[in-house]
């Protein structure tokens, strides 16, 4: 079975770019998908810089997903009313990964890890420290 993985950038890829370059090429070469999922600001300029940064790190990826800014029209409405606004914003990562059949996510943010454990328990989380 091929694996689809998601990689956070800040504190994750940036913690060890060489490791994540190797991992991404391995997954990609095996026919799996590599999604880079980040909560950086979703402007065209930031996305362009981020793509250049990923290229410099030699990360092989199928798609870059910058979650929509809070309150923007693009923000995916979160159905979980008990979450605060920040959790609802971060929950967009969970939504993306469940919609894209991600099997494993690499993530450093405790809040994001908690959301995956609660709302996507079938996705394995590698919590980067
Ligand atoms: Mg991070």
């Amino acid at each position: 079975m091929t694996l689809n993985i998601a990689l956070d950038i800040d504190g994750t890829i940036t913690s060890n770019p060489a490791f994540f370059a190797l991992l991404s090429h391995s997954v990609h070469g095996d026919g799996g998908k590599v999604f880079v999922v980040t909560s950086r600001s979703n402007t065209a300029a930031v996305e362009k810089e981020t793509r250049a940064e990923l290229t410099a790190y030699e990360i092989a990826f199928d798609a870059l997903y910058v979650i929509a800014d809070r309150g923007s029209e693009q923000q995916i409405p979160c159905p979980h009313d008990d979450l605060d606004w920040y959790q609802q914003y971060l929950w967009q990562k969970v939504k993306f990964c469940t919609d894209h059949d991600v099997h494993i996510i690499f993530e450093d943010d405790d809040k994001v890890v908690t959301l995956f454990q609660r709302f996507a328990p079938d996705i394995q989380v590698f919590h980067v420290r």
Side-chain angles (χ1 to χ4, degrees):
M1 157 186 144
T2 56
L3 285 175
N4 299 330
I5 66 168
L7 306 174
D8 169 55
I9 301 176
D10 297 300
T12 300
I13 290 175
T14 60
S15 75
N16 195 331
F19 169 76
F20 286 106
L22 186 64
L23 177 68
S24 69
H25 282 273
S26 178
V27 168
H28 202 71
D30 196 43
K33 293 261 196 295
V34 178
F35 300 107
V36 176
V37 177
T38 178
S39 58
R40 289 182 175 183
S41 180
N42 72 336
T43 65
V46 170
E47 183 168 333
K48 190 175 173 208
E49 285 166 22
T50 300
R51 285 182 184 278
E53 187 179 341
L54 293 170
T55 300
Y57 291 149
E58 299 183 18
I59 302 291
F61 61 100
D62 295 276
L64 168 65
Y65 177 61
V66 183
I67 65 175
D69 287 341
R70 178 198 177 206
S72 68
E73 279 182 20
Q74 295 80 23
Q75 182 170 358
I76 302 167
C78 179
H80 307 295
D81 293 338
D82 62 310
L83 300 181
D84 65 27
W85 69 267
Y86 188 59
Q87 291 169 315
Q88 291 195 350
Y89 161 73
L90 293 175
W91 171 85
Q92 294 179 99
K93 281 193 176 186
V94 178
K95 175 68 173 159
F96 178 89
C97 288
T98 51
D99 285 353
H100 290 80
D101 196 24
V102 166
H103 302 106
I104 303 172
I105 182 166
F106 291 76
E107 173 64 58
D108 70 305
D109 185 330
D110 293 347
K111 286 193 167 67
V112 176
V113 168
T114 300
L115 291 170
F116 272 87
Q117 288 169 334
R118 179 171 165 196
F119 298 111
D122 292 341
I123 297 177
Q124 186 172 20
V125 179
F126 281 24
H127 195 172
V128 176
R129 294 293 192 185

